Amino acid sequence: MKVLLLENVHSVAQETFRRHGFDVETRTGSLGEAELIEALKGVSVVGIRSNTKVTRAVLDAAPDLRAIGCFCIGTNQVDLEHATKLGIGVFNAPFSNTRSVVELVIGEILALARRLPEKTQRMHDGVWDKSAKGAYETRGRTLGIVGYGNIGTQLSNMAEAIGMRVAFFDTADRLAHGNAQRMGSLDELLEESDVVSLHVDGRPGNAGLFGAEQFAKMKPGAVFINASRGMVVDDLALREHILSGHLSGAAIDVFPVEPKAQGDLFESPLRGLDNVILTPHVGGSTEEAQEEIGTFVSSKLSAYILDGATALSVNLPDVAPAAREGAFRIALLHRNVPGVLASINRTLAEAGANVIGQSLATRGELGYVVTDTDDHVTPETLESLRHVAEAVHLETWHQDTSA
C-alpha cells in the first residue's frame, strides 16, 4: 500500500511505515485541492499537518484512500463528516506537542513583559536604549486562558509555577488546576487579565471569536497571545489596538492565511509593529514534539490499516481487537442500526465459518465490528457481507503476529 506524507512530517513516520511494508512518498510543502486530488491517485494513507485541506471534493476523488493522519493536534483541515460517511479513518496527535506549545507561550509572556522584541531590534539597529519603561515582572500578574483543555491546563500549571495568578474561561465544564479561578464569562476574564492567551479548537463556531469588541474589553496595557487557530482572531482589529497603545504587545503563531511552503512570502497586518512577536506556526515545532507526533500517528495508522484497530480515531468507533495468530480477520464498518451484527453472524454461520473472536463498538451513526475466523472465508461469503444492509466498507486480513 502507498502512503503520501506532506508538509515535512518527521522522518520517524516514514521509518514506521516502511518497517510495516508500506511504499512511502514524501513532499515538503502542502498541496492545493487540485494538486492533492492528483497526488492521491493510488494512495491508501495520506499524512498532513495543518496547511493541507482535505475537502469533500478531494475525498470523493480518492477512491483508494482509507485513512488520513493529521500529524498535529487539530483536524479542522479535514472534512470529517464526509470522511466518516466514506468510511475513511482519521487520526491525530491530541497530546504529543502540548509541552512544546506551552513552553513557547511562557517564553512569549516573559519576553513581552520585558519588551524584548523591540529591545533586541533596536540593538540590531545600533541603538542603545537602556530603560525600564514598560518592562514588568510577571510575578503576581494575571494570566487569562481562553480554552482550558490539554494545552490550557498545562499552561495554567506552568504559569502558577513562575508566580502568576491564573484565570480561565471555557464553555465546557473543566476542573480547575492548582489555584486557577474559573471565570463566569469571557468578558469577566478580559477585564481581569494582564495577559490573555487563546487555546481554543478549530470548530466553525470559533471563527471570529476574538475581534474589536473583545480587544476593547481587555485591560489597558495588557498582552494578547494566540497559539490556537488563525481564523479565531481579527488581526486588523489587533493591529489597531496595538497602534493605539491600548495593548502593550502580542505574540501570534497562527494566521488566517498562511504560506503553503517553506520560504514563501508571508503577509500580515501585524508585520512591523513594536513588541509584537510573529512566529510561523511553530508552537508544536520542536524536535521532541515532531518525533513524538510522527511516532504516535504513524503507529495508529499502521495499526488501523494492518489490524483494523481504531483506538483514538477521531471519527470511527473505538475498537482494539486482540491479535490472533493465523486468524482470518474481517472488519466491517456499517451504519449504526439494529440487526447488522445478527446479519453478519448469520451469513458466516450459513457459510460454515467458525468465529473465534469478535469486537464491536458504535459511535454516533456508525458501527464497527471486527470478526476473526479460524480459516479463510470464501469470496462469495465476503461478497455477501459487503451487501449486508447498511454496510459502508469491508476489509479483510490474514493475521500473522510473528512479524
Side-chain angles (χ1 to χ4, degrees):
M1 291 188 180
K2 185 175 181 180
V3 175
L4 174 64
L5 299 178
L6 306 176
E7 302 183 71
N8 288 316
V9 168
H10 196 279
S11 60
V12 71
Q14 302 175 40
E15 296 165 8
T16 300
F17 285 123
R18 290 191 173 113
R19 189 170 62 249
H20 287 106
F22 292 93
D23 177 22
V24 182
E25 178 186 348
T26 64
R27 302 198 188 185
T28 56
S30 60
L31 297 178
E33 187 174 78
E35 296 172 302
L36 186 57
I37 288 173
E38 181 66 25
L40 287 179
K41 291 179 179 178
V43 170
S44 299
V45 178
V46 62
I48 62 174
R49 295 177 70 184
S50 56
N51 235 9
T52 300
K53 312 300 180 187
V54 185
T55 63
R56 183 188 185 102
V58 170
L59 294 168
D60 284 339
D64 298 313
L65 190 63
R66 289 181 52 196
I68 301 167
C70 298
F71 286 76
C72 51
I73 294 176
T75 57
N76 57 295
Q77 67 274 44
V78 177
D79 188 329
L80 281 179
E81 182 178 354
H82 200 57
T84 304
K85 286 181 179 179
L86 296 175
I88 299 171
V90 181
F91 297 81
N92 69 336
F95 315 112
S96 300
N97 66 1
T98 299
R99 177 74 182 199
S100 295
V101 175
V102 170
E103 287 191 1
L104 176 67
V105 172
I106 289 291
E108 290 171 338
I109 292 171
L110 296 172
L112 293 170
R114 298 296 298 274
R115 303 191 71 85
L116 296 187
E118 65 181 45
K119 293 291 185 186
T120 190
Q121 183 59 53
R122 289 179 185 178
M123 291 291 283
H124 281 289
D125 293 340
V127 178
W128 184 265
D129 181 19
K130 188 177 185 300
S131 169
K133 184 179 179 181
Y136 301 95
E137 292 183 359
T138 57
R139 179 178 52 180
R141 293 182 174 269
T142 299
L143 168 63
I145 300 172
V146 182
Y148 206 62
N150 297 322
I151 293 174
T153 51
Q154 190 165 147
L155 175 60
S156 176
N157 296 334
M158 197 175 292
E160 281 199 353
I162 63 171
M164 298 190 78
R165 294 177 59 245
V166 176
F168 71 92
F169 173 73
D170 199 304
T171 55
D173 188 15
R174 306 285 191 183
L175 177 67
H177 285 215
N179 295 313
Q181 180 183 1
R182 183 187 185 99
M183 309 304 279
S185 68
L186 178 58
D187 288 353
E188 186 180 354
L189 178 137
L190 299 179
E191 293 167 2
E192 294 290 329
S193 301
D194 299 293
V195 180
V196 173
S197 190
L198 300 191
H199 300 284
V200 299
D201 61 29
R203 71 189 67 181
N206 284 333
L209 173 70
F210 224 93
E213 179 182 351
Q214 287 70 38
F215 288 123
K217 291 177 180 177
M218 290 176 63
K219 291 174 66 174
V223 161
F224 177 77
I225 296 174
N226 183 22
S228 60
R229 300 291 187 276
M231 57 83 168
V232 172
V233 176
D234 181 345
D235 285 348
L236 284 171
L238 174 57
R239 174 184 172 86
E240 292 172 4
H241 282 80
I242 294 287
L243 290 174
S244 72
H246 177 65
L247 300 182
S248 66
I252 308 298
D253 186 51
V254 288
F255 303 89
V257 178
E258 298 181 355
K260 287 185 177 181
Q262 191 86 349
D264 284 358
L265 178 65
F266 166 68
E267 297 284 5
S268 170
L270 302 175
R271 286 176 53 187
L273 300 182
D274 279 348
N275 210 37
V276 172
I277 299 172
L278 303 179
T279 49
H281 206 144
V282 294
S285 295
T286 61
E287 291 290 345
E288 295 90 344
Q290 291 307 304
E291 182 173 356
E292 172 62 26
I293 290 170
T295 300
F296 184 89
V297 179
S298 61
S299 296
K300 294 301 176 186
L301 289 166
S302 296
Y304 175 57
I305 297 297
L306 298 176
D307 299 318
T310 54
L312 296 182
S313 167
V314 299
N315 68 327
L316 299 183
D318 192 340
V319 173
R324 294 182 175 86
E325 179 70 34
F328 185 71
R329 176 160 290 178
I330 306 165
L332 180 67
L333 189 67
H334 60 86
R335 304 299 175 198
N336 184 16
V337 298
V340 175
L341 184 60
S343 296
I344 294 170
N345 288 336
R346 183 169 54 251
T347 299
L348 291 172
E350 290 172 353
N354 182 34
V355 175
I356 59 175
Q358 197 166 49
S359 302
L360 168 70
T362 61
R363 180 176 185 172
E365 297 181 355
L366 285 181
Y368 183 58
V369 58
V370 177
T371 303
D372 289 339
T373 64
D374 62 2
D375 202 354
H376 280 82
V377 173
T378 65
E380 293 77 15
T381 302
L382 293 177
E383 193 62 24
S384 296
L385 290 174
R386 286 189 177 91
H387 289 89
V388 165
E390 306 299 334
V392 174
H393 185 74
L394 182 139
E395 289 289 340
T396 62
W397 301 264
H398 185 270
Q399 289 285 285
D400 180 7
T401 59
S402 61

